Amino acid sequence: MEEYIVSARKYRPMSFDTVVGQSSLTTTLKNAVKSGKLAHAYLFCGPRGVGKTTCARIFAKAINCQNPTADGEACNECESCQSFNEQRSLNIFELDAASNNSVEHIKALMEQTRIPPQLGRYKVFIIDEVHMLSTAAFNAFLKTLEEPPAHVIFILATTEKHKILPTILSRCQIYDFERMTVQNTVAHLKHVAEKEGIKYEDEALAVIAEKADGGMRDALSIFDQAASFCQGNITYQKVIEDLNVLDSEYYFRMVDYTVENKVSETMVLLNDILNKGFDGGLLIQGLARHVRNVMMAKDPQTLPLLEVSDQQRQRYQQQAQRCPTPYLYKALQLMNQCDINYRQSSNKRLLVELTLIEIAQITQPEEGPASGRKPRRLKSLFKMLMKQSQPTTTAPQVAAVAQTRQPERIANSNGNTASAGNTASAVTFGNVTTSGNAATAGNSGTVGTANAVPSGSPAPKLKMGSLGMSWNNLRKMATSPKVNIISQSIGLDAKPEDETQAFTQDDLELQWLAMCNRMPQKLVGIASRMKNMNPLITELPQVEVVVDNELIAGELEKIRGSVVNTLKMYLHNNAITLNIRIAEPQEQARILTRREQLEEMIAANSSIQKLCEAFDLELA
């Protein structure tokens, strides 16, 4: 049986022309070989699996080739190329810096640089994962790297360039390798599949390329895994099953549901996805990538940014026509916030559900009063379901409701109270009583309905809304000193509010302290200072506040408008003015020492002196 070799090794490029996705770098290296203008040190850096070590080996073989081609490629026929292909070359050395990172290993390497090559022109040292070298090893390597022997060339490879000392970087020619695009990866996978005689679907190879995340070695490894699972026929469904990748169809359906405000369908789809074993955080990340692709598909200029197959690109374009741009922006913002909070959340599923519900409300039409109040969108979101569940109203029921909503009248009487059947459910507010059909306000009058209720039929209940009141209005009335509940409920004329009402010093001090307690957290500093201030009425309604210094006066001046408006509202006087004055030297109270405070206490109460003497107390 022939020995099996994984695709990443079997189809490893052997020349610059077979390297995938790095055309600019390979062209530069071929020109350097063709012109003979070689540097003494190169640094190949980039993500994993993009061809850094492969290009280093191809470059090293081309440097020592005795008969290079006109394009700068190795001939693969001379003794130097043959020895390299058979892995017996004495001129090319590979060192793994991850396991040989000490000063002793670098010193041993430096000893080998003194020996000239036996065959060929150069000795090439390839140091992989060079960022793993210790600082001491880097320092020992510096001098040789800067001025190596004429027959030595160093090729360094790393995935983390930022970990290399700047002194090393300044001595090398730096080549940054790019990530593999989905198109390049799919094209190479098709080539490998044709060589191996494996059937495939373009969408399946696109999923493999996206899963590889720009690494060709990862793509080939996933390709071998999928080929083993699919038994020579790589299909889309088998690939997503083998790789445990969520089908993109779920993302398309979820976006369609949220755009159409279908919350119930979205929740059912989310439950189906979670039952398949997919994590909610990965779902949010995948949905965010999908929405980003939809947004890129809206503009022809950003369409090339989609790293997907041609068939998927068409689907993205079709969905982009149905999705408004504000919806896409807001959805990305909500999903990004969910992704940030996902790890800290104790109820991760609830966080995902709330995020999807918010996304489903983005395109919901605004509903609410014209006053600008934010509508209760969640209520109207399920309005259609509520309407479907409500029974149909019959004509007699409509007539009964219309009868209960007729305008009420106030009938003057001499202390008589109207009675209508059962009054056990009467509700009393102050001295105002409402029952089934009667309302009594002391002896002033009776409130009833305009039409009499036939005997034998249940009396319609009088709703508070028919009196121009509701529970929310009653709560506001109970907390507001400006509204007389009794006079509004029975329809009497209320006295106009007095906006120039007089107030006392005690009223001023009380509202001043209450205002300080209500100030927001960001003003806690000035609020604590204001509690120690004593506002005074100089000449009603003029108020004066004396502060200790200019700094406090400046802070208080910034919020003067809010302070004056608050006093006007709670003291019911629109003519209030506030004067901020810095205290004179003689007005500033001197801060007493602890000894002086004790002496004042003893002077005020002689018992304290006797207490100190009885217990032999001393001031600490």
Side-chain angles (χ1 to χ4, degrees):
M1 181 177 179
E2 185 180 357
E3 182 181 1
Y4 173 72
I5 302 177
V6 296
S7 299
R9 292 179 54 196
K10 184 176 182 180
Y11 295 97
R12 193 167 194 168
M14 300 299 294
S15 62
F16 286 121
D17 291 337
T18 56
V19 176
V20 180
Q22 310 294 341
S23 59
S24 60
L25 297 182
T26 54
T27 301
T28 304
L29 295 177
K30 286 193 297 183
N31 292 337
V33 173
K34 183 169 55 176
S35 62
K37 297 179 180 179
L38 301 175
H40 61 274
Y42 295 87
L43 176 63
F44 294 169
C45 51
R48 68 184 189 280
V50 294
K52 299 184 296 297
T53 306
T54 298
C55 287
R57 293 175 178 175
I58 296 173
F59 187 43
K61 182 174 69 171
I63 288 174
N64 281 323
C65 179
Q66 297 175 351
N67 301 308
T69 64
D71 294 336
E73 295 276 8
C75 64
N76 286 322
E77 296 177 358
C78 63
E79 178 61 25
S80 177
C81 293
Q82 291 293 333
S83 61
F84 177 82
N85 293 337
E86 296 172 3
Q87 299 182 358
R88 55 182 178 83
S89 175
L90 299 178
N91 295 337
I92 300 174
F93 299 88
E94 287 193 35
L95 178 68
D96 180 22
S99 56
N100 301 278
N101 55 6
S102 64
V103 178
E104 288 74 15
H105 294 114
I106 294 298
K107 289 182 177 180
L109 181 65
M110 297 303 101
E111 292 294 331
Q112 297 182 18
T113 60
R114 299 180 180 180
I115 304 174
Q118 299 296 323
L119 180 66
R121 299 173 54 191
Y122 297 99
K123 263 193 172 183
V124 183
F125 293 88
I126 302 174
I127 305 178
D128 203 3
E129 302 298 333
V130 69
H131 66 273
M132 298 293 289
L133 289 177
S134 62
T135 305
F138 269 130
N139 293 330
F141 187 40
L142 277 176
K143 188 61 177 177
T144 304
L145 184 64
E146 184 176 11
E147 297 179 359
H151 58 270
V152 173
I153 292 178
F154 292 103
I155 303 178
L156 314 180
T158 180
T159 56
E160 302 181 39
K161 183 175 66 172
H162 61 278
K163 291 186 178 181
I164 301 178
L165 296 179
T167 50
I168 297 291
L169 296 177
S170 63
R171 290 166 168 80
C172 302
Q173 282 189 9
I174 301 176
Y175 291 82
D176 291 310
F177 284 68
E178 301 176 356
R179 292 174 61 253
M180 299 292 175
T181 62
V182 173
Q183 290 79 3
N184 289 337
T185 305
V186 170
H188 189 64
L189 292 179
K190 288 181 179 179
H191 171 72
V192 174
E194 292 171 358
K195 289 284 186 180
E196 295 292 327
I198 298 175
K199 298 180 180 180
Y200 59 87
E201 293 181 359
D202 291 344
E203 292 185 359
L205 297 184
V207 172
I208 295 175
E210 293 176 7
K211 187 74 173 179
D213 193 24
M216 184 61 72
R217 181 173 59 242
D218 294 350
L220 291 172
S221 299
I222 298 173
F223 176 82
D224 290 343
Q225 176 184 342
S228 299
F229 180 78
C230 300
Q231 293 294 320
N233 185 15
I234 302 178
T235 62
Y236 176 77
Q237 291 297 331
K238 290 183 179 180
V239 166
I240 62 175
E241 181 183 354
D242 180 37
L243 301 181
N244 195 30
V245 176
L246 186 59
D247 189 358
S248 61
E249 183 65 27
Y250 284 101
Y251 296 136
F252 283 103
R253 290 169 55 191
M254 186 164 290
V255 170
D256 289 338
Y257 288 155
T258 53
V259 169
E260 298 172 2
N261 311 131
K262 296 181 178 179
V263 176
S264 301
E265 290 83 348
T266 304
M267 294 296 101
V268 173
L269 184 60
L270 171 64
N271 184 70
D272 186 21
I273 294 173
L274 296 179
N275 288 340
K276 291 181 180 294
F278 292 99
D279 181 67
L282 297 179
L283 167 65
I284 290 295
Q285 295 174 11
L287 185 60
R289 288 194 297 269
H290 179 86
V291 174
R292 177 260 180 193
N293 290 342
V294 174
M295 186 170 62
M296 294 298 106
K298 289 187 73 68
D299 192 344
Q301 294 182 355
T302 57
L303 192 60
L305 299 179
L306 294 182
E307 295 184 352
V308 294
S309 61
D310 294 337
Q311 184 177 1
Q312 288 287 86
R313 183 178 286 105
Q314 293 178 359
R315 292 199 62 185
Y316 279 120
Q317 286 180 299
Q318 294 174 0
Q319 191 170 65
Q321 297 175 359
R322 302 190 300 269
C323 297
T325 302
Y327 161 83
L328 300 175
Y329 288 150
K330 186 63 177 178
L332 285 175
Q333 182 181 5
L334 292 173
M335 286 185 288
N336 181 58
Q337 192 64 32
C338 177
D339 187 33
I340 294 174
N341 299 330
Y342 188 79
R343 292 184 179 180
Q344 290 77 20
S345 176
S346 58
N347 194 340
K348 301 182 185 300
R349 174 165 182 164
L350 179 60
L351 177 62
V352 175
E353 290 175 344
L354 289 176
T355 301
L356 294 179
I357 290 175
E358 289 181 327
I359 295 174
Q361 298 181 67
I362 296 175
T363 57
Q364 179 186 342
E366 296 289 341
E367 296 181 5
S371 60
R373 174 183 167 190
K374 186 176 181 180
R376 295 184 178 180
R377 309 182 69 176
L378 198 60
K379 178 178 178 181
S380 59
L381 191 64
F382 298 95
K383 184 184 295 184
M384 298 303 298
L385 296 178
M386 295 171 62
K387 287 182 178 180
Q388 294 173 3
S389 62
Q390 290 178 352
T392 306
T393 306
T394 61
Q397 292 174 339
V398 174
V401 173
Q403 184 178 3
T404 60
R405 293 189 177 180
Q406 290 180 352
E408 293 78 13
R409 59 184 179 87
I410 301 176
N412 295 328
S413 65
N414 296 323
N416 298 326
T417 305
S419 175
N422 183 16
T423 59
S425 59
V427 182
T428 302
F429 303 102
N431 58 352
V432 180
T433 304
T434 64
S435 61
N437 260 343
T440 304
N443 295 325
S444 60
T446 304
V447 179
T449 57
N451 298 329
V453 180
S455 60
S457 62
K461 295 182 180 180
L462 182 61
K463 298 184 178 180
M464 299 304 298
S466 63
L467 295 176
M469 302 175 62
S470 64
W471 291 109
N472 291 333
N473 292 338
L474 289 173
R475 293 191 187 99
K476 295 178 181 178
M477 293 175 185
T479 57
S480 176
K482 299 181 181 181
V483 180
N484 189 332
I485 301 177
I486 301 175
S487 42
Q488 285 197 5
S489 62
I490 64 177
L492 300 179
D493 292 335
K495 294 182 180 180
E497 297 179 357
D498 186 6
E499 296 299 333
T500 58
Q501 181 179 342
F503 56 90
T504 64
Q505 179 67 29
D506 293 338
D507 296 335
L508 175 61
E509 294 177 357
L510 176 62
Q511 296 302 333
W512 182 272
L513 182 60
M515 175 183 62
C516 295
N517 292 331
R518 292 192 303 267
M519 293 177 70
Q521 183 66 27
K522 63 181 181 179
L523 299 177
V524 65
I526 186 63
S528 61
R529 294 187 179 95
M530 290 173 61
K531 290 180 182 180
N532 298 326
M533 300 178 186
N534 295 321
L536 298 175
I537 302 176
T538 55
E539 182 179 352
L540 196 69
Q542 299 178 4
V543 179
E544 183 181 69
V545 176
V546 181
V547 298
D548 293 336
N549 51 56
E550 295 181 358
L551 180 61
I552 301 177
E555 294 182 3
L556 188 57
E557 189 67 33
K558 294 179 182 178
I559 59 174
R560 175 202 288 266
S562 300
V563 172
V564 173
N565 291 335
T566 303
L567 295 178
K568 287 180 180 180
M569 180 173 62
Y570 287 94
L571 293 176
H572 311 292
N573 194 318
N574 289 335
I576 292 178
T577 59
L578 179 62
N579 180 32
I580 303 174
R581 182 173 63 84
I582 300 176
E584 300 295 335
Q586 62 273 14
E587 293 179 329
Q588 296 182 357
R590 188 173 65 88
I591 300 177
L592 301 178
T593 64
R594 300 176 65 185
R595 172 66 63 181
E596 292 174 341
Q597 294 176 2
L598 178 60
E599 292 176 355
E600 286 191 356
M601 294 170 60
I602 293 175
N605 190 350
S606 59
S607 300
I608 298 178
Q609 179 66 29
K610 296 179 181 179
L611 182 65
C612 294
E613 294 175 354
F615 290 95
D616 195 18
L617 299 179
E618 294 182 358
L619 184 63

